[in-house]
Amino acid sequence: MSPAPSRPASLAYIGLGSNLDQPRKQVATALSELDALPLSRVSVASRLYASRPVGPQDQPDFVNAVVALETYLSPLALLDQLQALEQRHRRRRERHWGPRTLDLDVLLFNTTLVAHPRLQVPHPHMHTRAFVLRPLCEIAPHLRLRGQPLEQWLAGLGDDVTPLA
Ligand code: ROI
């Protein structure tokens, strides 16, 4: 991620999800594309997980993962990059909460709160979603959301999220 500016990098956590067009491949490819984003590098990536869909059940299971991304981009510049990357995967989203080729969500950005029409950070639903919390817990077990450890949030949710072999 050269050139290295003099200020420290930010640490963003990004959630990845796919349930269309070879989801494992979509997510695996996106992991290396995230590492190649300008002024950014993936410092840790979770394993890939299979998860039952949250929302409408008449759609395929998802593949999910979470990465920690060191970045010198601002939250909105990062969002622009993630949306461009989704488009390169010819993102299809057939209906609200329906199947998609690739979804990339900014979950956390340092301890920054972002309340912008295009972006809310922390992601407003992340503490309710095992498909985010389980991989996040693998790479950042120390994190707390709304004052509560990830494991505690997970304990209150059905656990239908399992690592892929
Ligand atoms: N369900 C699962 N299991 N994984 C996702 O990534 C996912 N993404 C979504 C909705 C449709 C809410 N459900 C999901 O956007």
Side-chain angles (χ1 to χ4, degrees), residues 17-85:
S18 170
N19 71 343
L20 282 182
D21 304 340
Q22 300 184 270
R24 280 174 93 128
K25 199 166 147 198
Q26 296 287 345
V27 172
T29 308
L31 289 175
S32 46
E33 289 167 335
L34 286 170
D35 195 48
L37 286 185
L39 298 176
S40 306
R41 73 177 180 101
V42 170
S43 58
V44 198
S46 75
R47 292 172 289 178
L48 270 50
Y49 289 77
S51 62
R52 298 283 309 142
V54 167
Q57 296 296 296
D58 60 335
Q59 59 178 319
D61 284 357
F62 278 79
V63 173
N64 286 108
V66 169
V67 301
L69 188 80
E70 286 178 40
T71 185
Y72 291 99
L73 298 171
S74 69
L76 284 175
L78 175 60
L79 179 67
D80 287 339
Q81 292 288 339
L82 298 183
Q83 290 184 342
L85 212 154

Side-chain angles (χ1 to χ4, degrees), residues 18 20-21 26 29 33 82-94 99-104:
S18 170
L20 282 182
D21 304 340
Q26 296 287 345
T29 308
E33 289 167 335
L82 298 183
Q83 290 184 342
L85 212 154
E86 287 176 344
Q87 289 312 317
R88 287 207 294 280
H89 285 246
R90 300 198 207 300
R91 175 179 163 139
R92 291 193 282 134
R93 189 163 53 169
E94 290 161 356
R100 62 272 317 277
T101 320
L102 181 65
D103 213 6
L104 298 171

